[in-house]
Amino acid sequence: MSTAVETRPALNYLNQETGIRSWLFTLDHKRIGLLYVASITFFFFIGSFYALLMRLSLLEPNGWLFGPGTYNKLFSMHGIIMVWFFLIPSIPTTLGNFFIPMMIGAKDVAFPKLNLLSWYIFMVGGLTTLFAMIHGGVDTGWTFYTPFSTSYSTTWVTTAALGIFIAGFGSILTGLNFIATIHRMRAPGMTWFRLPVFIWSQYATSIILVLATPVLAITLLMIGVERIFQVGIFDPALGGDPVLFQHMFWFYSHPAVYIMILPAMAVISEIIPTFSRKPLFGYEFVVYASMMIAALGFLVWGHHMFVAGQSLYSALTFSFLSYLVAVPSAIKVFNWSATMYKGSVSWDTPMLYAIGFIGLFTVGGMTGLFLAAMGIDVHVTDTYFVVAHFHYIMVGGAVMGYLGGVHYFWPKITGKMYPEGLAKLSALIVFLGFNLTFFPQFILGYMGMPRRYAAYAPEFHTLNVMSTAGASILGIGYLLPLAYFIWAWKYGADAGPNPWRATGLEWQTSSPPPRDNFEETPVVTRPAYDFGGMKEELHLG
Amino acid sequence: MANPIALLLREQYSTPVQQRETSKLGMWIFIMTEIMLFGGLFLAFSVYRMSFPQAFVKGSADMSIVLGSINTAVLICSSFTMALAVYSAETGNRRMLTVFLIATMILGLVFLGIKFTEYYQHYLQHEAPAVWFDHTGPDSGHLEMFFVLYFLMTGLHAVHMLVGEGILTAMVIRNHRGSFSADYYTPVEISGLYWHFVDIIWVFLFAIFYVEGLHLHKL
Ligand SMILES: [Cu+2]
């Protein structure tokens, strides 16, 4: 670890103003990013708590803790909280908010007031949904499938959907802000192809946020209208088409997977070059792969409906297009691996998460191909195979990326280092716990254990106990960073401006950064990840 | 002497041009979002129009083509006055800016007035789903679907009109306070973009709801 010789400027974004009002009314993108960190951490542990209860209940084949009604609510609320109030906002609103302006050399995002408004909208949405959960919960699953959600469920569907509807506008405004920022706020000399891949990936994510989220909003609005006014939009008894709901829902929710994974890829694309001391291999290919993933993401939603009565020909088309997504994804995995090849790789905590991400994302992506094949999909539809697959993408991919990113950027955000040994240990615990939780679920699913049931056949007992054991280990792996980050915030060693000797603009300013990010507007003359051209002074320490 | 334009430059920007272009880009992105929002409803309409062609044409024949056409003309006029408002702002004519903004608002209110008259007529004809809908016959369920979509889509459009009225009110107040000049009128310009967008949505709504069943009209 290099210790910076230069003394930190006395004033930075954290101590320039103090008091609760200076946080709640801040227009500083860095502070808004931290507001989001606090909010999504809160939602993450609520969502995890529901998961813990489910896993505990599944220790016994008869589901000893909860009956089917409660169990239905548990998995619904776990999904709703985790998808909309943790995963979707996770990296963009926290690390994205903090680092997009810094990486492009700007003072702030394009619309700071809108940025703060987005956080308030997100919180109002989150608390509305939380209110629905506390008052009785929802039992439709996070997917709100009709006609169950519109005609039969007697739980708090409308309120929960309203919360998601509201939070959606926070997402849209965040995406809008990022697109405008990346287009118009770049420092002199920061051309499109000098942008770090982090920016490109966030840009692709923002496009999805802006174009897909409104479709979810209107779909949830239609659910609300149908429930409140008792009219048939999706109700087959009144001539409605429940499959139309599935089309509209997945038109958002498949791209939503890329809202979660593209930002994680953004983080990985920063970590790998830094800890390999090499420029990202095939920069332009990675950039185009990001854009291609965003574009293809809009064309594959039908793979969620192979058994929902869609025509064979559209199913074939969706199957083929889903396979195509593997191409840009594989390009990325290949390019990250090639970046490490013959680099001088160091094994700091962020790199451990990055390498874990590559492995787990590959498993998740490959099993995604199984599910894109119609024959196998019909066999494993609604089994634990699907559950395992998307947890490899969302937890193994998105959450590992988020944790890697928080470790990587922590010294810049707080100016302090976290305890490296403990961090490495917890990265290992997360990796092991995760695999122990979810790998048995692939086998369970393939053997035919259906998802979303409170009880199961006795022959699945051993694998379920393994999964629950893994979940407990994973829980420890998540609690440890929470503890040592809180500790490091106050007692961590001074990090200095650039502890990782990274190349991005964000590392060329003090840690924590000043309110306006840079003492003066930087002028960019070199491509991203130009380790050769880095000034030698930065290496001293 | 302090430069009045510099005062209007928010601190995250380096030049007024950058500020103006960024604001406009922001509104264009917002309009893309709105297209997707309405797009979901247009999709639902198309699907059910294909499934139940007879009921939908029948429903369309119950629309008042006269009121619908008048409303379309009113909105197109409001787009024209809005364009003139932006032109007045551009040329620094603050008095005419207020005049045209208020003219646009009045035309918008006329539109909303006529729209609610139509809603009331549908209510009297028992064509208001969930409130008072009684039609019998084999198609009645599908006819109800037509009216659900009609109220949902034109209702969402009307909400956008109301938001537009609010935005224009804010513009009138800001102009009254002297916020705008030939050098700085970006808020007027992007309000105009929004207003035109909402008008265009109406043109599509008019086409799908009013023109469909035109041949069945007994004028
Ligand atoms: Cu999908």
Side-chain angles (χ1 to χ4, degrees):
Chain A
M1 219 76 2
S2 71
T3 45
V5 202
E6 56 218 283
T7 46
R8 279 196 277 144
L11 278 186
N12 58 54
Y13 82 101
L14 287 172
N15 62 14
Q16 187 159 7
E17 287 174 274
T18 48
I20 187 82
R21 285 175 59 89
S22 75
W23 284 89
L24 291 180
F25 296 103
T26 182
L27 297 181
D28 182 354
H29 66 102
K30 300 184 284 301
R31 283 191 168 208
I32 294 171
L34 291 186
L35 288 177
Y36 272 113
V37 171
S39 326
I40 68 167
T41 306
F42 169 69
F43 286 118
F44 175 79
F45 281 100
I46 291 181
S48 306
F49 178 66
Y50 289 132
L52 179 74
L53 292 181
M54 272 188 284
R55 282 314 325 165
L56 278 180
S57 190
L58 291 175
L59 266 177
E60 292 294 331
N62 59 5
W64 62 288
L65 265 180
F66 303 110
T70 314
Y71 187 82
N72 289 351
K73 288 182 179 174
L74 285 177
F75 71 70
S76 305
M77 299 190 292
H78 168 70
I80 289 171
I81 293 278
M82 284 304 204
V83 168
W84 282 295
F85 302 103
F86 174 70
L87 284 164
I88 296 276
S90 62
I91 296 177
T93 60
T94 58
L95 301 174
N97 238 327
F98 202 107
F99 287 103
I100 287 176
M102 296 195 68
M103 284 185 177
I104 63 175
K107 280 187 202 159
D108 208 316
V109 292
F111 311 114
K113 282 183 193 158
L114 202 63
N115 200 14
L116 182 65
L117 179 69
S118 308
W119 180 73
Y120 277 103
I121 294 175
F122 172 73
M123 287 311 288
V124 170
L127 295 178
T128 306
T129 301
L130 208 58
F131 172 84
M133 317 241 132
I134 292 167
H135 276 76
V138 184
D139 65 350
T140 58
W142 75 281
T143 47
F144 292 107
Y145 265 24
T146 54
F148 181 70
S149 62
T150 46
S151 307
Y152 301 106
S153 176
T154 53
T155 52
W156 288 68
V157 176
T158 315
T159 316
L162 176 70
I164 300 166
F165 178 85
I166 295 171
F169 289 96
S171 286
I172 291 172
L173 295 179
T174 301
L176 187 156
N177 220 332
F178 287 175
I179 295 177
T181 305
I182 295 168
H183 267 275
R184 300 284 181 200
M185 310 294 283
R186 303 193 309 273
M190 183 56 98
T191 58
W192 281 95
F193 283 90
R194 280 179 185 166
L195 288 172
V197 172
F198 184 90
I199 300 292
W200 275 104
S201 252
Q202 297 286 352
Y203 183 71
T205 309
S206 305
I207 290 176
I208 306 176
L209 281 172
V210 164
L211 293 182
T213 317
V215 179
L216 175 75
I218 203 70
T219 312
L220 293 175
L221 183 75
M222 285 154 89
I223 295 242
V225 167
E226 180 155 347
R227 275 185 77 92
I228 293 168
F229 297 105
Q230 303 290 313
V231 292
I233 301 177
F234 300 120
D235 182 1
L238 295 164
D241 186 353
V243 180
L244 176 66
F245 169 83
Q246 295 185 27
H247 277 288
M248 294 179 69
F249 180 82
W250 289 112
F251 182 83
Y252 162 80
S253 290
H254 186 84
V257 177
Y258 300 140
I259 298 175
M260 305 169 197
I261 202 71
L262 277 169
M265 292 169 156
V267 169
I268 305 306
S269 303
E270 294 304 305
I271 295 177
I272 300 255
T274 301
F275 294 98
S276 308
R277 315 302 308 155
K278 265 178 72 191
L280 188 67
F281 181 84
Y283 170 94
E284 285 180 29
F285 280 90
V286 180
V287 166
Y288 290 128
S290 298
M291 301 312 286
M292 209 172 140
I293 289 176
L296 281 175
F298 281 102
L299 305 174
V300 301
W301 76 89
H303 62 215
H304 296 270
M305 300 157 60
F306 286 158
V307 296
Q310 106 191 299
S311 90
L312 179 63
Y313 296 103
S314 46
L316 273 173
T317 313
F318 280 124
S319 172
F320 174 72
L321 289 167
S322 305
Y323 279 131
L324 274 190
V325 181
V327 176
S329 311
I331 288 176
K332 290 195 165 200
V333 170
F334 175 80
N335 285 17
W336 292 322
S337 315
T339 308
M340 287 189 276
Y341 180 66
K342 291 198 173 166
S344 36
V345 175
S346 49
W347 305 98
D348 299 274
T349 313
M351 190 62 165
L352 294 184
Y353 278 108
I355 293 170
F357 171 95
I358 296 177
L360 300 180
F361 171 74
T362 305
V363 174
M366 297 290 253
T367 50
L369 290 177
F370 289 31
L371 295 169
M374 282 187 284
I376 303 176
D377 183 71
V378 171
H379 178 64
V380 295
T381 286
D382 279 340
T383 68
Y384 266 83
F385 190 89
V386 179
V387 176
H389 154 68
F390 70 71
H391 280 89
Y392 265 77
I393 296 288
M394 291 175 185
V395 185
V399 179
M400 294 285 275
Y402 175 67
L403 283 176
V406 172
H407 284 87
Y408 179 61
F409 289 116
W410 183 262
K412 178 54 65 183
I413 295 172
T414 62
K416 303 286 176 64
M417 290 308 297
Y418 49 82
E420 177 68 16
L422 201 54
K424 274 187 177 145
L425 177 71
S426 67
L428 202 68
I429 293 175
V430 166
F431 185 80
L432 293 177
F434 171 82
N435 280 299
L436 186 57
T437 311
F438 292 105
F439 200 83
Q441 297 187 2
F442 278 126
I443 305 168
L444 282 170
Y446 197 76
M447 282 162 41
M449 178 172 165
R451 64 191 282 208
R452 294 183 166 179
Y453 279 84
Y456 54 88
E459 64 258 38
F460 301 134
H461 194 184
T462 316
L463 287 166
N464 269 292
V465 171
M466 283 169 71
S467 184
T468 301
S472 327
I473 297 173
L474 188 58
I476 294 168
Y478 289 146
L479 285 170
L480 270 177
L482 183 71
Y484 65 69
F485 276 136
I486 291 173
W487 177 86
W489 180 277
K490 237 181 144 62
Y491 304 107
D494 263 6
N498 192 0
W500 314 123
R501 298 183 291 136
T503 55
L505 284 179
E506 74 275 22
W507 300 102
Q508 317 307 325
T509 185
S510 51
S511 319
R515 167 64 183 89
D516 287 342
N517 297 340
F518 303 96
E519 299 302 327
E520 54 194 88
T521 309
V523 177
V524 182
T525 54
R526 290 189 313 237
Y529 317 112
D530 183 20
F531 289 94
M534 254 183 94
K535 288 207 183 77
E536 273 307 306
E537 303 92 273
L538 288 172
H539 293 228
L540 303 173
Chain B
M1 202 181 87
N3 182 351
I5 304 164
L7 291 177
L8 292 167
L9 186 66
R10 305 214 183 280
E11 60 180 17
Q12 69 269 29
Y13 300 110
S14 18
T15 64
V17 177
Q18 184 193 25
Q19 171 167 286
R20 177 163 177 261
E21 293 300 311
T22 310
S23 304
K24 273 163 70 177
L25 177 66
M27 182 47 86
W28 278 111
I29 301 167
F30 182 71
I31 287 174
M32 291 199 305
T33 291
E34 290 277 35
I35 290 174
M36 296 305 284
L37 187 82
F38 278 97
L41 288 171
F42 276 95
L43 172 80
F45 180 89
S46 316
V47 168
Y48 292 133
R49 166 74 180 77
M50 296 276 282
S51 308
F52 320 121
Q54 282 162 339
F56 271 49
V57 171
K58 212 161 104 192
S60 172
D62 280 351
M63 296 289 129
S64 166
I65 185 72
V66 177
L67 290 180
S69 303
I70 292 174
N71 248 354
T72 309
V74 167
L75 268 200
I76 290 173
C77 289
S78 83
S79 258
F80 182 63
T81 52
M82 188 68 229
L84 289 175
V86 176
Y87 175 76
S88 311
E90 204 177 333
T91 48
N93 191 338
R94 280 178 43 204
R95 207 175 62 83
M96 289 316 279
L97 173 56
T98 302
V99 168
F100 284 123
L101 283 173
I102 290 178
T104 310
M105 287 173 63
I106 290 172
L107 287 167
L109 289 173
V110 169
F111 173 90
L112 286 170
I114 294 178
K115 195 73 236 153
F116 283 106
T117 313
E118 284 185 79
Y119 284 165
Y120 186 61
Q121 285 181 359
H122 289 303
Y123 170 74
L124 293 180
Q125 291 164 17
H126 311 179
E127 285 169 343
V131 187
W132 192 6
F133 191 87
D134 65 71
H135 270 253
T136 46
D139 270 349
S140 61
H142 304 156
L143 194 65
E144 183 172 3
M145 176 83 79
F146 175 87
F147 279 102
V148 168
L149 288 168
Y150 166 77
F151 278 100
L152 196 54
M153 293 172 81
T154 57
L156 188 65
H157 177 262
V159 169
H160 279 78
M161 293 288 297
L162 283 172
V163 171
E165 294 285 334
I167 293 173
L168 294 191
T169 310
M171 290 304 120
V172 170
I173 293 170
R174 285 182 71 179
N175 187 41
H176 185 72
R177 288 188 192 150
S179 303
F180 302 131
S181 66
D183 291 316
Y184 178 75
Y185 59 95
T186 315
V188 180
E189 204 177 2
I190 63 173
S191 310
L193 279 176
Y194 174 84
W195 190 267
H196 295 311
F197 163 75
V198 177
D199 286 2
I200 290 169
I201 290 286
W202 171 257
V203 174
F204 284 93
L205 292 175
F206 178 69
I208 64 171
F209 284 112
Y210 291 80
V211 184
E212 281 281 347
L214 204 52
H215 57 288
L216 293 180
H217 264 286
K218 310 168 254 329
L219 279 173

